[in-house]
Amino acid sequence: MKNELTIPEAQKQVDEWIKTVGVRYFSELTNMAVLTEEVGELARIIARKYGDQSFKKSDEEYNLADEMADVLWVLICLANQTGVDLNEAFKKNMEKKTKRDSDRHKNNEKLQS
């Protein structure tokens, strides 16, 4: 397996794993709930590592990179289930943001330092 993975390759790998190891996709509604759960776990780590909360003994099992990967995994599952090509969606989203925000952030006094 090569080091870099494209978005289409990731979508294909997840689909293959689901069909061979995972038996089938959870329902879209279940995966939405799982995505919310995973984002919560990610938020927990960030709140403790970068925010004001301190780590508890039970927090030691959490890993920032692993939690981000969990979020990505479930998002890819949802994309696969709903027929979304994340590669195309991301390209279009970048174009939208670039056009919409071409001067917005440059002119934001709050971002000037």
Side-chain angles (χ1 to χ4, degrees), residues 48-105:
R48 282 154 179 75
K49 185 168 183 171
Y50 302 103
D52 299 324
Q53 287 191 324
S54 61
F55 281 93
K56 297 187 288 188
K57 186 78 172 156
S58 61
D59 295 328
E60 292 175 3
E61 67 190 66
Y62 293 102
N63 173 288
L64 183 63
D66 189 52
E67 296 305 332
M68 287 183 177
D70 284 343
V71 169
L72 182 59
W73 171 271
V74 181
L75 184 63
I76 290 172
C77 286
L78 282 166
N80 286 352
Q81 290 176 275
T82 58
V84 171
D85 178 337
L86 285 173
N87 193 57
E88 282 303 309
F90 187 78
K91 282 190 224 177
K92 288 178 182 176
N93 193 269
M94 286 297 297
E95 289 170 7
K96 174 187 79 175
K97 283 175 174 36
T98 300
K99 184 177 179 181
R100 180 190 68 200
D101 300 331
S102 62
D103 292 321
R104 179 174 164 225
H105 299 300

Side-chain angles (χ1 to χ4, degrees), residues 5 19 27 29 36 58 79:
L5 185 66
K19 290 175 179 174
S27 71
L29 187 56
T36 303
S58 61

